[in-house]
Amino acid sequence: MGVNVRQPAPKLLVVGGGGREHAICWRLRQDRPHAEIFCAPGNAGTADVARTLDIGAADIDDLVSWARSERPDLVVVGPEDPLIGGLVDELQAIGVPAFGPTGRAAAIEGSKAYSSALVTRLGVPAPDHATFDNVDDALAYVEDEPDGVVVKADGPALGKGVIVCDTPEEADAAVRRMMVEGAFGASGARVVVQELLQGPELSVLALSDGTTFRTIGVARDYKRIGDGDRGPNTGGVGSYTPVPDASAELVARVEREIIAPVLAGMRAEGRPYVGLLYAGLILTAEGPKVIEFNCRMGDPETQVVLPVLQGDFVDLIDAAGSGRLDRTSTCPPTQAAVAVVLTSEGYPGPSASGHPIDGLDAVDSGLVFHAGTERRDGAVRTAGGRVLAAVGLGDDLGEARDEAYALAASIRFRGAGYRSDIAADALGMAVAS
């Protein structure tokens, strides 16, 4: 990539409009205070640290046209859809440096069937699985799985194409919802059925230059909407770092047994991975097993990882893009961070938007990253299911958690909700089940 990111006022573009992208814009502003930062399409929060562009994250032609005209020094692509759609390829073709994997490499998230076949071929620890294009075959398979399964849409589905099923009846309904009812469109025409693993989840975020990688964050997120991990899956409603049960030895094992062989395998098959690789894991009794890969930074993991990341994030991105990660090193964070996501009533199902948000002007500590917000009629309003992430920082998880919940409680909008047990497990607190 070879980005000249040390010039006095580099021009940077962040693609996306969610909480992850607000956190990225915020961190770029911390590391490059004088930079000219743009965000497409952005939200009410990114507008405080970047100039908003009226271009959708999936509008690849318009993004490329803007980049051809404006010649940014770096484009950071946040969401999966433009990565899977080849935005990085298009930008590289016109000589614009872009951070993120190419379309072929982004298939590690774009196709659950591909990623499942990859880990099987490489012998990477993962749950047993089977892939189906035929609904009758899928239904016959889940009928014989009494211990529960996870049914996944093969293609991207905004983090919602995963259904955890405890019984064959639930699995039958999940398969029909995807393959017959078309709940996730073409993404659900093929499904992957995985063994349901038991154990805590862990997210490991690693920067890769195609050959070398550096782990930049380890976090735990919460996908179920309700306390005690009840209710349907969401795109993520809370997260924290550091994770007490993710020892240095455990992370080294993940790097050795999962991340390194996957990156080497992709390089060997002609799709080197340059960008941020997210490994979603279950810590089982047999050791860590990978249940998913994402081709981008997690959301809401990014909201806790970037505020405590040591060093210069822009320099790390530059090193990854130009094949120089072997000359860099990373240090564990010295602070803890906890994110509590405020959601609209009804999420992850249909939810109302347009409600004014009160309390943002009174925020004087912690961080509030916007996700589903917009500024309209002189007010910041809700504009999605996941609305805001209240992020508390502290010397330890207890301090960070207290600040995050105090922050969440100070923000109000009609139908607002959030889990009350984020990071409770790490602190030994009782959690409803």
Side-chain angles (χ1 to χ4, degrees):
M1 186 163 59
V3 185
N4 182 15
V5 291
R6 288 195 176 278
Q7 60 182 303
K11 184 182 292 187
L12 311 173
L13 169 64
V14 176
V15 175
R20 169 185 47 233
E21 288 74 41
H22 187 188
I24 292 172
C25 287
W26 173 86
R27 183 59 195 243
L28 296 181
R29 179 62 68 198
Q30 302 301 302
D31 289 344
R32 296 294 181 275
H34 304 295
E36 191 176 8
I37 303 176
F38 298 85
C39 192
N43 57 45
T46 62
D48 292 333
V49 289
R51 291 174 56 186
T52 298
L53 300 179
D54 188 19
I55 304 175
D59 294 338
I60 292 178
D61 289 345
D62 290 343
L63 289 166
V64 172
S65 177
W66 183 90
R68 181 183 288 111
S69 172
E70 297 295 328
R71 311 307 300 182
D73 298 287
L74 173 65
V75 178
V76 180
V77 186
E80 65 272 26
D81 282 353
L83 291 167
I84 295 166
L87 176 57
V88 168
D89 307 70
E90 296 287 336
L91 292 170
Q92 290 177 348
I94 62 171
V96 171
F99 176 70
T102 63
R104 275 175 50 78
I108 198 164
E109 179 174 1
S111 171
K112 302 298 187 295
Y114 166 74
S115 61
S116 296
L118 177 68
V119 297
T120 299
R121 184 168 68 252
L122 297 173
V124 168
D128 294 336
H129 72 277
T131 300
F132 300 96
D133 296 294
N134 180 279
V135 63
D136 292 329
D137 292 341
L139 291 172
Y141 182 87
V142 300
E143 185 178 307
D144 295 328
E145 296 292 328
D147 295 328
V149 296
V150 180
V151 180
K152 297 185 173 184
D154 177 48
L158 298 176
K160 299 178 184 178
V162 176
I163 302 177
V164 178
C165 309
D166 295 316
T167 66
E169 292 75 20
E170 291 178 0
D172 183 288
V175 169
R176 294 182 187 277
R177 183 182 176 204
M178 293 185 189
M179 302 188 78
V180 178
E181 300 169 15
F184 304 108
S187 290
R190 171 186 294 171
V191 300
V192 175
V193 181
Q194 281 185 350
E195 169 192 11
L196 179 59
L197 298 179
Q198 301 300 322
E201 293 194 29
L202 190 70
S203 305
V204 178
L205 283 64
L207 280 175
S208 171
D209 64 8
T211 302
T212 302
F213 70 91
R214 294 284 184 266
T215 297
I216 66 164
V218 178
R220 175 160 290 147
D221 78 323
Y222 296 75
K223 293 187 172 64
R224 298 286 190 106
I225 188 65
D227 285 0
D229 287 330
R230 293 174 295 181
N233 260 18
T234 70
V237 289
S239 59
Y240 67 85
T241 190
V243 182
D245 52 356
S247 65
E249 292 75 19
L250 177 71
V251 175
R253 182 177 178 182
V254 170
E255 293 174 337
R256 182 176 65 252
E257 297 182 1
I258 295 174
I259 296 174
V262 163
L263 292 173
M266 295 186 72
R267 184 170 66 251
E269 66 179 35
R271 55 175 100 203
Y273 193 97
V274 178
L276 191 291
L277 181 66
Y278 168 113
L281 315 167
I282 296 288
L283 304 183
T284 73
E286 295 79 35
K289 295 186 179 183
V290 63
I291 56 170
E292 67 173 345
F293 286 109
N294 290 339
C295 62
R296 35 72 191 188
M297 299 188 76
D299 186 343
E301 292 92 339
T302 303
Q303 290 90 308
V304 295
V305 166
L306 286 189
V308 300
L309 176 68
Q310 297 291 292
D312 190 305
F313 182 52
V314 183
D315 281 351
L316 285 170
I317 289 176
D318 185 33
S322 53
R324 296 182 291 104
L325 268 181
D326 59 337
R327 306 178 200 174
T328 69
S329 61
T330 56
C331 299
T334 59
Q335 279 191 302
V338 174
V340 176
V341 175
L342 286 80
T343 59
S344 293
E345 186 175 9
Y347 178 78
S351 54
S353 293
H355 300 310
I357 303 172
D358 297 319
L360 293 173
D361 293 339
V363 171
D364 56 5
S365 65
L367 296 166
V368 177
F369 291 123
H370 292 230
T373 67
E374 64 177 354
R375 185 173 290 278
R376 180 162 50 87
D377 299 329
V380 176
R381 299 176 181 271
T382 62
R386 291 191 295 177
V387 180
L388 302 160
V391 178
L393 304 176
D395 292 331
D396 56 47
L397 278 174
E399 186 177 306
R401 185 179 191 273
D402 287 346
E403 183 173 273
Y405 274 105
L407 196 55
S410 71
I411 299 169
R412 299 169 301 280
F413 55 87
R414 186 187 304 172
Y418 52 84
R419 282 182 60 158
S420 66
D421 61 349
I422 306 302
D425 54 336
L427 296 167
M429 301 169 62
V431 177
S433 61

